Amino acid sequence: MNRRRVTLFAALVPVVALLLVGMWVTVPFVALGPGPTFNTLGDVDGKPVVDIEGTELDPTSGNLNMTTVSVRDGLNIFEAFGFWLSGNHGLVPREEVYPADKSRDEVKQENQADFQQSEQSAELAALHYLNKPVALEVSEVSPDGPSKDALRVGDQLVSIDGKSVTTVGEVQRAVADLAPGAVVSVVVKRDGQDVTVPVTLGARPGAPAKGYLGITPTERPEVPFTVNFNLAEVGGPSAGLMFTLAVIDKLSPGELNGGKFVAGTGTIDSDGDVGPIGGIPYKLIAARDAGATTFLVPARNCDEAKQRTPDGLRLVKVENLDGAVQALASLNAGGDAPAC
């Protein structure tokens, strides 16, 4: 009997040791999965997610949900294996989310900065779409750059080399195809007057074959109302598209979503170009679980999205803001829309 107990104990020791290792040893992976979704037409903590004050708003209904990805860190072996088996989560090396040269706080601060930038870009993209006034100003002039004696901080940019400019992107494109040494005429509004100044382009840092003005242009809304976004503890730039659509929906007649449940994701710049994001499979799951029937997918995420499309969720391919609005209008009229 004693010998059997000894034998049983000896057999259990490695099992117990393995269990302890599995419970206490963390793995160098994080689990990505569906995160919370937020209706950009709705409220959070008693405040509108997109709060516009100082002007009359058009009634809205239904959903325009932004989607997020959850990140679970500090996993032990059993937890990691459980997430992997779930089918709704994926494991990625921890350094892809938390680089070795950055602390968790630094990563969080960068994500929050990206989120704030997405809010600003969303407001500007919406205002441009609605033909609302936006000032394009020189906010910085490089002290040793080609514009140091020609342009001033506060100059409002009107045109470059004969091309009207209203966005930061248009400024960059106006000189991108010109070689260093080319002389361009820059028209600015200064002290209430249009002034034309010549600038000899320099070489763009990192792309010496491209022209360079040596200024930092900034867009500033010139509207009699304010747009505020009330989501805390959310990071990254991927809410840009859905924020933009919410601003447009509240400031224009009709309902972009037709009163239905639309979700989506995608970065946006003030030109209205929609960019790709990470974690698209998990955002699709989150949207479907929340009740969405249509999902706006950045064009460059379509291949990945098609591989794991939840049942009952229609994928609409989006390259820019105009395309997103037109696709929703077509669906509301019973028509078709670009699909992934």
Side-chain angles (χ1 to χ4, degrees):
M1 186 69 177
N2 288 340
R3 182 177 298 175
R4 281 178 127 187
R5 289 179 179 174
V6 170
T7 301
L8 179 60
F9 178 76
L12 289 176
V13 167
V15 176
V16 173
L18 182 61
L19 289 173
L20 291 175
V21 168
M23 292 173 59
W24 295 105
V25 175
T26 58
V27 297
F29 295 90
V30 296
L32 303 182
T37 75
F38 301 93
N39 183 12
T40 59
L41 299 177
D43 295 346
V44 61
D45 296 330
K47 297 180 180 180
V49 173
V50 177
D51 190 7
I52 303 176
E53 297 181 338
T55 189
E56 185 176 351
L57 302 182
D58 191 68
T60 60
S61 65
N63 293 63
L64 286 173
N65 276 42
M66 58 159 285
T67 49
T68 67
V69 175
S70 66
V71 179
R72 292 174 171 83
D73 191 20
L75 305 176
N76 64 38
I77 294 174
F78 296 136
E79 289 170 330
F81 189 63
F83 280 123
W84 180 72
L85 285 177
S86 72
N88 286 347
H89 291 75
L91 299 179
V92 300
R94 188 179 187 277
E95 62 184 13
E96 289 187 13
V97 178
Y98 302 109
D101 60 343
K102 296 178 182 178
S103 68
R104 286 180 63 102
D105 285 343
E106 288 174 328
V107 172
K108 182 177 180 179
Q109 290 172 1
E110 289 181 0
N111 286 337
Q112 289 176 336
D114 287 341
F115 191 70
Q116 291 172 355
Q117 181 59 56
S118 76
E119 294 174 337
Q120 296 170 12
S121 296
E123 178 182 1
L124 292 168
L127 294 180
H128 284 302
Y129 179 85
L130 295 169
N131 293 316
K132 302 292 185 181
V134 175
L136 179 62
E137 297 179 338
V138 177
S139 61
E140 184 178 347
V141 180
S142 176
D144 57 354
S147 298
K148 61 184 177 62
D149 297 322
L151 299 178
R152 305 174 187 173
V153 171
D155 282 346
Q156 185 170 332
L157 294 161
V158 177
S159 67
I160 298 175
D161 207 29
K163 300 175 182 176
S164 175
V165 290
T166 58
T167 69
V168 171
E170 288 177 348
V171 173
Q172 296 169 344
R173 290 190 292 273
V175 298
D177 294 333
L178 299 175
V183 179
V184 297
S185 293
V186 181
V187 178
V188 299
K189 188 174 291 294
R190 180 184 295 169
D191 299 326
Q193 301 292 325
D194 282 356
V195 179
T196 301
V197 292
V199 178
T200 301
L201 298 180
R204 181 175 298 183
K210 294 181 178 293
Y212 170 66
L213 280 171
I215 63 172
T216 300
T218 301
E219 296 172 60
R220 176 176 53 81
E222 288 193 319
V223 291
F225 54 84
T226 60
V227 179
N228 294 301
F229 301 88
N230 294 309
L231 277 184
E233 300 303 318
V234 178
S238 64
L241 172 62
M242 303 312 292
F243 277 155
T244 305
L245 293 175
V247 174
I248 292 172
D249 207 6
K250 291 190 171 192
L251 292 176
S252 60
E255 295 180 320
L256 295 183
N257 58 6
K260 300 181 177 65
F261 197 137
V262 175
T265 187
T267 66
I268 202 163
D269 61 21
S270 62
D271 283 309
D273 291 327
V274 175
I277 49 77
I280 189 72
Y282 314 115
K283 293 184 175 184
L284 296 176
I285 295 171
R288 187 272 316 274
D289 289 349
T293 55
T294 299
F295 194 97
L296 304 180
V297 182
R300 282 184 279 173
N301 286 122
C302 268
D303 286 343
E304 183 181 10
K306 287 189 298 185
Q307 296 174 17
R308 295 180 62 181
T309 306
D311 292 339
L313 192 62
R314 180 175 193 162
L315 303 187
V316 175
K317 180 171 68 173
V318 175
E319 296 185 356
N320 52 50
L321 179 57
D322 285 350
V325 175
Q326 291 168 9
L328 291 176
S330 177
L331 292 177
N332 293 340
D336 209 347
C340 284

PDB file of all heavy atoms in Angstrom, residues 257-296:
ATOM      1  N   ASN A 257     -27.484  56.428 -42.554  1.00  0.00           N
ATOM      2  CA  ASN A 257     -27.645  54.987 -42.348  1.00  0.00           C
ATOM      3  C   ASN A 257     -29.046  54.485 -42.647  1.00  0.00           C
ATOM      4  O   ASN A 257     -29.329  53.293 -42.482  1.00  0.00           O
ATOM      5  CB  ASN A 257     -27.271  54.617 -40.906  1.00  0.00           C
ATOM      6  CG  ASN A 257     -28.106  55.368 -39.891  1.00  0.00           C
ATOM      7  OD1 ASN A 257     -29.042  56.086 -40.250  1.00  0.00           O
ATOM      8  ND2 ASN A 257     -27.781  55.213 -38.620  1.00  0.00           N
ATOM      9  N   GLY A 258     -29.946  55.381 -43.051  1.00  0.00           N
ATOM     10  CA  GLY A 258     -31.333  54.979 -43.298  1.00  0.00           C
ATOM     11  C   GLY A 258     -32.031  54.483 -42.055  1.00  0.00           C
ATOM     12  O   GLY A 258     -33.011  53.738 -42.137  1.00  0.00           O
ATOM     13  N   GLY A 259     -31.528  54.894 -40.873  1.00  0.00           N
ATOM     14  CA  GLY A 259     -32.112  54.443 -39.614  1.00  0.00           C
ATOM     15  C   GLY A 259     -31.701  53.035 -39.214  1.00  0.00           C
ATOM     16  O   GLY A 259     -32.195  52.495 -38.226  1.00  0.00           O
ATOM     17  N   LYS A 260     -30.783  52.441 -39.961  1.00  0.00           N
ATOM     18  CA  LYS A 260     -30.371  51.056 -39.700  1.00  0.00           C
ATOM     19  C   LYS A 260     -29.103  51.013 -38.853  1.00  0.00           C
ATOM     20  O   LYS A 260     -28.563  52.043 -38.441  1.00  0.00           O
ATOM     21  CB  LYS A 260     -30.170  50.318 -41.020  1.00  0.00           C
ATOM     22  CG  LYS A 260     -31.422  50.249 -41.896  1.00  0.00           C
ATOM     23  CD  LYS A 260     -31.146  49.483 -43.163  1.00  0.00           C
ATOM     24  CE  LYS A 260     -32.395  49.344 -44.016  1.00  0.00           C
ATOM     25  NZ  LYS A 260     -32.884  50.643 -44.532  1.00  0.00           N
ATOM     26  N   PHE A 261     -28.607  49.800 -38.614  1.00  0.00           N
ATOM     27  CA  PHE A 261     -27.414  49.584 -37.775  1.00  0.00           C
ATOM     28  C   PHE A 261     -26.213  49.373 -38.693  1.00  0.00           C
ATOM     29  O   PHE A 261     -26.023  48.301 -39.256  1.00  0.00           O
ATOM     30  CB  PHE A 261     -27.608  48.373 -36.859  1.00  0.00           C
ATOM     31  CG  PHE A 261     -26.634  48.321 -35.700  1.00  0.00           C
ATOM     32  CD1 PHE A 261     -27.084  47.987 -34.437  1.00  0.00           C
ATOM     33  CD2 PHE A 261     -25.287  48.605 -35.866  1.00  0.00           C
ATOM     34  CE1 PHE A 261     -26.203  47.930 -33.342  1.00  0.00           C
ATOM     35  CE2 PHE A 261     -24.401  48.566 -34.801  1.00  0.00           C
ATOM     36  CZ  PHE A 261     -24.872  48.230 -33.534  1.00  0.00           C
ATOM     37  N   VAL A 262     -25.430  50.422 -38.843  1.00  0.00           N
ATOM     38  CA  VAL A 262     -24.205  50.374 -39.640  1.00  0.00           C
ATOM     39  C   VAL A 262     -23.017  50.509 -38.694  1.00  0.00           C
ATOM     40  O   VAL A 262     -23.035  51.335 -37.777  1.00  0.00           O
ATOM     41  CB  VAL A 262     -24.169  51.507 -40.690  1.00  0.00           C
ATOM     42  CG1 VAL A 262     -22.838  51.522 -41.437  1.00  0.00           C
ATOM     43  CG2 VAL A 262     -25.330  51.354 -41.665  1.00  0.00           C
ATOM     44  N   ALA A 263     -21.996  49.710 -38.908  1.00  0.00           N
ATOM     45  CA  ALA A 263     -20.745  49.827 -38.151  1.00  0.00           C
ATOM     46  C   ALA A 263     -19.604  49.958 -39.140  1.00  0.00           C
ATOM     47  O   ALA A 263     -19.783  49.798 -40.354  1.00  0.00           O
ATOM     48  CB  ALA A 263     -20.548  48.614 -37.245  1.00  0.00           C
ATOM     49  N   GLY A 264     -18.424  50.245 -38.623  1.00  0.00           N
ATOM     50  CA  GLY A 264     -17.288  50.362 -39.520  1.00  0.00           C
ATOM     51  C   GLY A 264     -16.035  50.766 -38.807  1.00  0.00           C
ATOM     52  O   GLY A 264     -15.984  50.886 -37.578  1.00  0.00           O
ATOM     53  N   THR A 265     -15.001  51.001 -39.607  1.00  0.00           N
ATOM     54  CA  THR A 265     -13.702  51.389 -39.065  1.00  0.00           C
ATOM     55  C   THR A 265     -12.901  52.033 -40.184  1.00  0.00           C
ATOM     56  O   THR A 265     -13.297  51.988 -41.346  1.00  0.00           O
ATOM     57  CB  THR A 265     -12.974  50.152 -38.503  1.00  0.00           C
ATOM     58  OG1 THR A 265     -11.775  50.572 -37.823  1.00  0.00           O
ATOM     59  CG2 THR A 265     -12.586  49.177 -39.612  1.00  0.00           C
ATOM     60  N   GLY A 266     -11.794  52.632 -39.841  1.00  0.00           N
ATOM     61  CA  GLY A 266     -10.925  53.231 -40.846  1.00  0.00           C
ATOM     62  C   GLY A 266     -10.381  54.573 -40.396  1.00  0.00           C
ATOM     63  O   GLY A 266     -11.088  55.361 -39.766  1.00  0.00           O
ATOM     64  N   THR A 267      -9.117  54.820 -40.680  1.00  0.00           N
ATOM     65  CA  THR A 267      -8.559  56.140 -40.442  1.00  0.00           C
ATOM     66  C   THR A 267      -9.097  57.105 -41.493  1.00  0.00           C
ATOM     67  O   THR A 267      -9.635  56.684 -42.521  1.00  0.00           O
ATOM     68  CB  THR A 267      -7.028  56.114 -40.532  1.00  0.00           C
ATOM     69  OG1 THR A 267      -6.630  55.818 -41.886  1.00  0.00           O
ATOM     70  CG2 THR A 267      -6.436  55.051 -39.606  1.00  0.00           C
ATOM     71  N   ILE A 268      -8.940  58.386 -41.231  1.00  0.00           N
ATOM     72  CA  ILE A 268      -9.332  59.384 -42.228  1.00  0.00           C
ATOM     73  C   ILE A 268      -8.418  60.590 -42.098  1.00  0.00           C
ATOM     74  O   ILE A 268      -7.918  60.887 -40.997  1.00  0.00           O
ATOM     75  CB  ILE A 268     -10.812  59.798 -42.060  1.00  0.00           C
ATOM     76  CG1 ILE A 268     -11.369  60.377 -43.368  1.00  0.00           C
ATOM     77  CG2 ILE A 268     -10.991  60.779 -40.909  1.00  0.00           C
ATOM     78  CD1 ILE A 268     -12.879  60.441 -43.424  1.00  0.00           C
ATOM     79  N   ASP A 269      -8.154  61.256 -43.219  1.00  0.00           N
ATOM     80  CA  ASP A 269      -7.430  62.522 -43.165  1.00  0.00           C
ATOM     81  C   ASP A 269      -8.370  63.625 -43.623  1.00  0.00           C
ATOM     82  O   ASP A 269      -9.514  63.364 -44.011  1.00  0.00           O
ATOM     83  CB  ASP A 269      -6.143  62.474 -43.993  1.00  0.00           C
ATOM     84  CG  ASP A 269      -6.384  62.202 -45.473  1.00  0.00           C
ATOM     85  OD1 ASP A 269      -7.507  62.439 -45.964  1.00  0.00           O
ATOM     86  OD2 ASP A 269      -5.443  61.735 -46.151  1.00  0.00           O
ATOM     87  N   SER A 270      -7.913  64.856 -43.542  1.00  0.00           N
ATOM     88  CA  SER A 270      -8.811  65.963 -43.841  1.00  0.00           C
ATOM     89  C   SER A 270      -9.238  65.983 -45.303  1.00  0.00           C
ATOM     90  O   SER A 270     -10.242  66.607 -45.651  1.00  0.00           O
ATOM     91  CB  SER A 270      -8.156  67.291 -43.468  1.00  0.00           C
ATOM     92  OG  SER A 270      -6.974  67.509 -44.216  1.00  0.00           O
ATOM     93  N   ASP A 271      -8.496  65.299 -46.191  1.00  0.00           N
ATOM     94  CA  ASP A 271      -8.898  65.157 -47.591  1.00  0.00           C
ATOM     95  C   ASP A 271     -10.052  64.172 -47.757  1.00  0.00           C
ATOM     96  O   ASP A 271     -10.643  64.075 -48.832  1.00  0.00           O
ATOM     97  CB  ASP A 271      -7.728  64.671 -48.443  1.00  0.00           C
ATOM     98  CG  ASP A 271      -6.736  65.785 -48.738  1.00  0.00           C
ATOM     99  OD1 ASP A 271      -7.177  66.850 -49.194  1.00  0.00           O
ATOM    100  OD2 ASP A 271      -5.533  65.588 -48.516  1.00  0.00           O
ATOM    101  N   GLY A 272     -10.334  63.383 -46.706  1.00  0.00           N
ATOM    102  CA  GLY A 272     -11.393  62.383 -46.788  1.00  0.00           C
ATOM    103  C   GLY A 272     -10.924  61.015 -47.235  1.00  0.00           C
ATOM    104  O   GLY A 272     -11.747  60.120 -47.470  1.00  0.00           O
ATOM    105  N   ASP A 273      -9.608  60.813 -47.334  1.00  0.00           N
ATOM    106  CA  ASP A 273      -9.095  59.496 -47.711  1.00  0.00           C
ATOM    107  C   ASP A 273      -9.161  58.551 -46.518  1.00  0.00           C
ATOM    108  O   ASP A 273      -8.754  58.916 -45.397  1.00  0.00           O
ATOM    109  CB  ASP A 273      -7.652  59.609 -48.206  1.00  0.00           C
ATOM    110  CG  ASP A 273      -7.552  60.326 -49.547  1.00  0.00           C
ATOM    111  OD1 ASP A 273      -8.487  60.182 -50.353  1.00  0.00           O
ATOM    112  OD2 ASP A 273      -6.555  61.035 -49.770  1.00  0.00           O
ATOM    113  N   VAL A 274      -9.656  57.342 -46.754  1.00  0.00           N
ATOM    114  CA  VAL A 274      -9.835  56.340 -45.694  1.00  0.00           C
ATOM    115  C   VAL A 274      -8.684  55.350 -45.742  1.00  0.00           C
ATOM    116  O   VAL A 274      -8.381  54.785 -46.799  1.00  0.00           O
ATOM    117  CB  VAL A 274     -11.179  55.609 -45.850  1.00  0.00           C
ATOM    118  CG1 VAL A 274     -11.303  54.485 -44.819  1.00  0.00           C
ATOM    119  CG2 VAL A 274     -12.326  56.597 -45.712  1.00  0.00           C
ATOM    120  N   GLY A 275      -8.036  55.146 -44.602  1.00  0.00           N
ATOM    121  CA  GLY A 275      -6.874  54.264 -44.536  1.00  0.00           C
ATOM    122  C   GLY A 275      -7.139  52.996 -43.750  1.00  0.00           C
ATOM    123  O   GLY A 275      -8.120  52.899 -42.998  1.00  0.00           O
ATOM    124  N   PRO A 276      -6.269  51.992 -43.911  1.00  0.00           N
ATOM    125  CA  PRO A 276      -6.454  50.696 -43.266  1.00  0.00           C
ATOM    126  C   PRO A 276      -6.148  50.731 -41.781  1.00  0.00           C
ATOM    127  O   PRO A 276      -5.480  51.644 -41.285  1.00  0.00           O
ATOM    128  CB  PRO A 276      -5.453  49.800 -44.014  1.00  0.00           C
ATOM    129  CG  PRO A 276      -4.343  50.747 -44.398  1.00  0.00           C
ATOM    130  CD  PRO A 276      -5.041  52.041 -44.728  1.00  0.00           C
ATOM    131  N   ILE A 277      -6.610  49.714 -41.094  1.00  0.00           N
ATOM    132  CA  ILE A 277      -6.415  49.607 -39.639  1.00  0.00           C
ATOM    133  C   ILE A 277      -6.033  48.164 -39.297  1.00  0.00           C
ATOM    134  O   ILE A 277      -6.010  47.289 -40.163  1.00  0.00           O
ATOM    135  CB  ILE A 277      -7.686  50.013 -38.869  1.00  0.00           C
ATOM    136  CG1 ILE A 277      -8.943  49.311 -39.438  1.00  0.00           C
ATOM    137  CG2 ILE A 277      -7.897  51.508 -38.974  1.00  0.00           C
ATOM    138  CD1 ILE A 277      -9.129  47.887 -39.077  1.00  0.00           C
ATOM    139  N   GLY A 278      -5.734  47.908 -38.048  1.00  0.00           N
ATOM    140  CA  GLY A 278      -5.428  46.554 -37.604  1.00  0.00           C
ATOM    141  C   GLY A 278      -6.625  45.909 -36.923  1.00  0.00           C
ATOM    142  O   GLY A 278      -7.573  46.573 -36.510  1.00  0.00           O
ATOM    143  N   GLY A 279      -6.564  44.595 -36.794  1.00  0.00           N
ATOM    144  CA  GLY A 279      -7.578  43.867 -36.036  1.00  0.00           C
ATOM    145  C   GLY A 279      -8.936  43.768 -36.685  1.00  0.00           C
ATOM    146  O   GLY A 279      -9.959  43.590 -36.002  1.00  0.00           O
ATOM    147  N   ILE A 280      -8.999  43.843 -38.008  1.00  0.00           N
ATOM    148  CA  ILE A 280     -10.307  43.857 -38.683  1.00  0.00           C
ATOM    149  C   ILE A 280     -11.164  42.629 -38.368  1.00  0.00           C
ATOM    150  O   ILE A 280     -12.382  42.762 -38.181  1.00  0.00           O
ATOM    151  CB  ILE A 280     -10.130  44.041 -40.212  1.00  0.00           C
ATOM    152  CG1 ILE A 280     -11.487  44.283 -40.911  1.00  0.00           C
ATOM    153  CG2 ILE A 280      -9.409  42.869 -40.850  1.00  0.00           C
ATOM    154  CD1 ILE A 280     -12.080  45.607 -40.646  1.00  0.00           C
ATOM    155  N   PRO A 281     -10.609  41.394 -38.261  1.00  0.00           N
ATOM    156  CA  PRO A 281     -11.497  40.249 -37.973  1.00  0.00           C
ATOM    157  C   PRO A 281     -12.246  40.403 -36.660  1.00  0.00           C
ATOM    158  O   PRO A 281     -13.415  40.018 -36.548  1.00  0.00           O
ATOM    159  CB  PRO A 281     -10.537  39.053 -37.940  1.00  0.00           C
ATOM    160  CG  PRO A 281      -9.331  39.497 -38.701  1.00  0.00           C
ATOM    161  CD  PRO A 281      -9.204  40.957 -38.406  1.00  0.00           C
ATOM    162  N   TYR A 282     -11.571  40.985 -35.647  1.00  0.00           N
ATOM    163  CA  TYR A 282     -12.186  41.110 -34.333  1.00  0.00           C
ATOM    164  C   TYR A 282     -13.220  42.238 -34.322  1.00  0.00           C
ATOM    165  O   TYR A 282     -14.229  42.161 -33.613  1.00  0.00           O
ATOM    166  CB  TYR A 282     -11.099  41.338 -33.282  1.00  0.00           C
ATOM    167  CG  TYR A 282      -9.937  40.392 -33.467  1.00  0.00           C
ATOM    168  CD1 TYR A 282      -8.672  40.862 -33.808  1.00  0.00           C
ATOM    169  CD2 TYR A 282     -10.125  39.023 -33.365  1.00  0.00           C
ATOM    170  CE1 TYR A 282      -7.612  39.999 -34.015  1.00  0.00           C
ATOM    171  CE2 TYR A 282      -9.068  38.133 -33.581  1.00  0.00           C
ATOM    172  CZ  TYR A 282      -7.822  38.633 -33.913  1.00  0.00           C
ATOM    173  OH  TYR A 282      -6.773  37.765 -34.129  1.00  0.00           O
ATOM    174  N   LYS A 283     -12.988  43.267 -35.120  1.00  0.00           N
ATOM    175  CA  LYS A 283     -13.968  44.345 -35.223  1.00  0.00           C
ATOM    176  C   LYS A 283     -15.234  43.864 -35.921  1.00  0.00           C
ATOM    177  O   LYS A 283     -16.342  44.300 -35.585  1.00  0.00           O
ATOM    178  CB  LYS A 283     -13.351  45.534 -35.948  1.00  0.00           C
ATOM    179  CG  LYS A 283     -12.233  46.197 -35.155  1.00  0.00           C
ATOM    180  CD  LYS A 283     -11.686  47.430 -35.836  1.00  0.00           C
ATOM    181  CE  LYS A 283     -10.662  48.119 -34.952  1.00  0.00           C
ATOM    182  NZ  LYS A 283     -10.159  49.378 -35.523  1.00  0.00           N
ATOM    183  N   LEU A 284     -15.085  42.978 -36.880  1.00  0.00           N
ATOM    184  CA  LEU A 284     -16.259  42.414 -37.544  1.00  0.00           C
ATOM    185  C   LEU A 284     -17.106  41.613 -36.566  1.00  0.00           C
ATOM    186  O   LEU A 284     -18.339  41.708 -36.554  1.00  0.00           O
ATOM    187  CB  LEU A 284     -15.826  41.520 -38.708  1.00  0.00           C
ATOM    188  CG  LEU A 284     -15.101  42.189 -39.874  1.00  0.00           C
ATOM    189  CD1 LEU A 284     -14.666  41.133 -40.889  1.00  0.00           C
ATOM    190  CD2 LEU A 284     -15.965  43.247 -40.539  1.00  0.00           C
ATOM    191  N   ILE A 285     -16.447  40.824 -35.730  1.00  0.00           N
ATOM    192  CA  ILE A 285     -17.171  40.031 -34.732  1.00  0.00           C
ATOM    193  C   ILE A 285     -17.889  40.943 -33.748  1.00  0.00           C
ATOM    194  O   ILE A 285     -19.063  40.742 -33.404  1.00  0.00           O
ATOM    195  CB  ILE A 285     -16.209  39.084 -33.991  1.00  0.00           C
ATOM    196  CG1 ILE A 285     -15.625  38.048 -34.953  1.00  0.00           C
ATOM    197  CG2 ILE A 285     -16.918  38.391 -32.827  1.00  0.00           C
ATOM    198  CD1 ILE A 285     -14.510  37.206 -34.357  1.00  0.00           C
ATOM    199  N   ALA A 286     -17.173  41.981 -33.283  1.00  0.00           N
ATOM    200  CA  ALA A 286     -17.768  42.921 -32.328  1.00  0.00           C
ATOM    201  C   ALA A 286     -18.998  43.597 -32.927  1.00  0.00           C
ATOM    202  O   ALA A 286     -20.023  43.766 -32.252  1.00  0.00           O
ATOM    203  CB  ALA A 286     -16.737  43.968 -31.919  1.00  0.00           C
ATOM    204  N   ALA A 287     -18.906  43.974 -34.200  1.00  0.00           N
ATOM    205  CA  ALA A 287     -20.029  44.644 -34.862  1.00  0.00           C
ATOM    206  C   ALA A 287     -21.219  43.704 -35.003  1.00  0.00           C
ATOM    207  O   ALA A 287     -22.370  44.080 -34.720  1.00  0.00           O
ATOM    208  CB  ALA A 287     -19.594  45.157 -36.227  1.00  0.00           C
ATOM    209  N   ARG A 288     -20.945  42.481 -35.453  1.00  0.00           N
ATOM    210  CA  ARG A 288     -22.033  41.506 -35.616  1.00  0.00           C
ATOM    211  C   ARG A 288     -22.706  41.232 -34.267  1.00  0.00           C
ATOM    212  O   ARG A 288     -23.947  41.205 -34.177  1.00  0.00           O
ATOM    213  CB  ARG A 288     -21.452  40.215 -36.217  1.00  0.00           C
ATOM    214  CG  ARG A 288     -22.484  39.147 -36.605  1.00  0.00           C
ATOM    215  CD  ARG A 288     -22.840  38.194 -35.470  1.00  0.00           C
ATOM    216  NE  ARG A 288     -21.725  37.718 -34.700  1.00  0.00           N
ATOM    217  CZ  ARG A 288     -20.969  36.660 -35.003  1.00  0.00           C
ATOM    218  NH1 ARG A 288     -21.213  35.964 -36.099  1.00  0.00           N
ATOM    219  NH2 ARG A 288     -19.980  36.284 -34.207  1.00  0.00           N
ATOM    220  N   ASP A 289     -21.915  41.043 -33.214  1.00  0.00           N
ATOM    221  CA  ASP A 289     -22.479  40.751 -31.892  1.00  0.00           C
ATOM    222  C   ASP A 289     -23.298  41.925 -31.357  1.00  0.00           C
ATOM    223  O   ASP A 289     -24.239  41.735 -30.584  1.00  0.00           O
ATOM    224  CB  ASP A 289     -21.365  40.413 -30.906  1.00  0.00           C
ATOM    225  CG  ASP A 289     -20.729  39.052 -31.196  1.00  0.00           C
ATOM    226  OD1 ASP A 289     -21.293  38.295 -32.012  1.00  0.00           O
ATOM    227  OD2 ASP A 289     -19.665  38.762 -30.615  1.00  0.00           O
ATOM    228  N   ALA A 290     -22.949  43.155 -31.766  1.00  0.00           N
ATOM    229  CA  ALA A 290     -23.680  44.332 -31.303  1.00  0.00           C
ATOM    230  C   ALA A 290     -24.974  44.540 -32.071  1.00  0.00           C
ATOM    231  O   ALA A 290     -25.840  45.313 -31.637  1.00  0.00           O
ATOM    232  CB  ALA A 290     -22.804  45.574 -31.423  1.00  0.00           C
ATOM    233  N   GLY A 291     -25.119  43.865 -33.232  1.00  0.00           N
ATOM    234  CA  GLY A 291     -26.348  43.968 -34.009  1.00  0.00           C
ATOM    235  C   GLY A 291     -26.210  44.602 -35.372  1.00  0.00           C
ATOM    236  O   GLY A 291     -27.216  44.826 -36.053  1.00  0.00           O
ATOM    237  N   ALA A 292     -24.988  44.892 -35.798  1.00  0.00           N
ATOM    238  CA  ALA A 292     -24.798  45.533 -37.102  1.00  0.00           C
ATOM    239  C   ALA A 292     -25.146  44.582 -38.239  1.00  0.00           C
ATOM    240  O   ALA A 292     -24.921  43.372 -38.149  1.00  0.00           O
ATOM    241  CB  ALA A 292     -23.351  46.005 -37.243  1.00  0.00           C
ATOM    242  N   THR A 293     -25.656  45.165 -39.327  1.00  0.00           N
ATOM    243  CA  THR A 293     -25.935  44.378 -40.532  1.00  0.00           C
ATOM    244  C   THR A 293     -25.048  44.821 -41.705  1.00  0.00           C
ATOM    245  O   THR A 293     -24.917  44.090 -42.680  1.00  0.00           O
ATOM    246  CB  THR A 293     -27.410  44.528 -40.950  1.00  0.00           C
ATOM    247  OG1 THR A 293     -27.727  45.922 -41.099  1.00  0.00           O
ATOM    248  CG2 THR A 293     -28.317  43.915 -39.887  1.00  0.00           C
ATOM    249  N   THR A 294     -24.459  46.005 -41.595  1.00  0.00           N
ATOM    250  CA  THR A 294     -23.564  46.529 -42.626  1.00  0.00           C
ATOM    251  C   THR A 294     -22.288  47.013 -41.962  1.00  0.00           C
ATOM    252  O   THR A 294     -22.342  47.654 -40.893  1.00  0.00           O
ATOM    253  CB  THR A 294     -24.218  47.701 -43.390  1.00  0.00           C
ATOM    254  OG1 THR A 294     -25.401  47.245 -44.036  1.00  0.00           O
ATOM    255  CG2 THR A 294     -23.261  48.281 -44.427  1.00  0.00           C
ATOM    256  N   PHE A 295     -21.144  46.720 -42.594  1.00  0.00           N
ATOM    257  CA  PHE A 295     -19.864  47.131 -42.027  1.00  0.00           C
ATOM    258  C   PHE A 295     -19.044  47.811 -43.112  1.00  0.00           C
ATOM    259  O   PHE A 295     -18.822  47.251 -44.189  1.00  0.00           O
ATOM    260  CB  PHE A 295     -19.099  45.921 -41.481  1.00  0.00           C
ATOM    261  CG  PHE A 295     -17.942  46.288 -40.586  1.00  0.00           C
ATOM    262  CD1 PHE A 295     -18.083  46.281 -39.209  1.00  0.00           C
ATOM    263  CD2 PHE A 295     -16.710  46.661 -41.128  1.00  0.00           C
ATOM    264  CE1 PHE A 295     -17.029  46.623 -38.372  1.00  0.00           C
ATOM    265  CE2 PHE A 295     -15.655  47.009 -40.305  1.00  0.00           C
ATOM    266  CZ  PHE A 295     -15.812  46.992 -38.928  1.00  0.00           C
ATOM    267  N   LEU A 296     -18.582  49.034 -42.833  1.00  0.00           N
ATOM    268  CA  LEU A 296     -17.748  49.787 -43.762  1.00  0.00           C
ATOM    269  C   LEU A 296     -16.289  49.399 -43.547  1.00  0.00           C
ATOM    270  O   LEU A 296     -15.746  49.588 -42.456  1.00  0.00           O
ATOM    271  CB  LEU A 296     -17.930  51.291 -43.542  1.00  0.00           C
ATOM    272  CG  LEU A 296     -19.370  51.808 -43.635  1.00  0.00           C
ATOM    273  CD1 LEU A 296     -19.411  53.316 -43.402  1.00  0.00           C
ATOM    274  CD2 LEU A 296     -19.993  51.458 -44.984  1.00  0.00           C
TER     275      LEU A 296
END
